[in-house]
Amino acid sequence: YSPLYIYQLKYADATTVADIMNSVTEFGRETEAGRSGGVRGIDQYMRPMSFVPEKETNRLIIKGYHEDYLKAKDIIAVLDEPQPQVAIE
C-alpha cells in the first residue's frame, strides 16, 4: 500500500487544481471529525491530504488515504473538463 497517487490532467492546469484541492480539503480540519476523516452532522470530512503539482507533465501527486483519494479523484475529474471555446472569424 502506498499513500501516493498520480493523476494525469488533460485540460486543467496542475498548479491551479492543486491550489483548489488543497483549499477544499482544509475544510473542517481543525475539528476532531476533520482530523480523523469522520462525519459530523451532514458533513463528511476527508482525512488530511496534500496535492502537489508537477508542472512539466501537468500531473498531480496526491498523498492521502485510498478512500479519500477516490473521493478527490471524482472532484478533480469535474475540474479537468474541457472548457468551451469561441472561434472568431
Side-chain angles (χ1 to χ4, degrees):
Y1 166 75
S2 172
L4 297 175
Y5 304 93
I6 296 184
Y7 190 96
Q8 178 67 55
L9 295 165
K10 297 176 187 169
Y11 305 104
D13 176 60
T15 303
T16 303
V17 174
D19 290 343
I20 291 169
M21 293 304 295
N22 281 319
S23 296
V24 168
T25 56
E26 288 285 323
F27 174 72
R29 190 167 285 180
E30 66 279 351
T31 66
E32 188 61 37
R35 284 190 290 275
S36 63
V39 177
R40 182 175 158 197
I42 59 171
D43 295 326
Q44 181 175 3
Y45 300 102
M46 294 179 175
R47 288 169 276 204
M49 298 181 75
S50 68
F51 300 83
V52 178
E54 186 181 49
K55 296 176 187 180
E56 294 79 22
T57 59
N58 204 38
R59 295 183 199 176
L60 288 177
I61 301 171
I62 304 167
K63 181 182 177 205
Y65 289 91
H66 184 70
E67 298 84 19
D68 294 331
Y69 165 71
L70 295 175
K71 293 176 198 172
K73 188 171 83 166
D74 292 340
I75 297 167
I76 294 169
V78 172
L79 294 172
D80 192 33
E81 292 181 350
Q83 299 299 310
Q85 297 185 11
V86 176
I88 299 175
E89 250 182 69

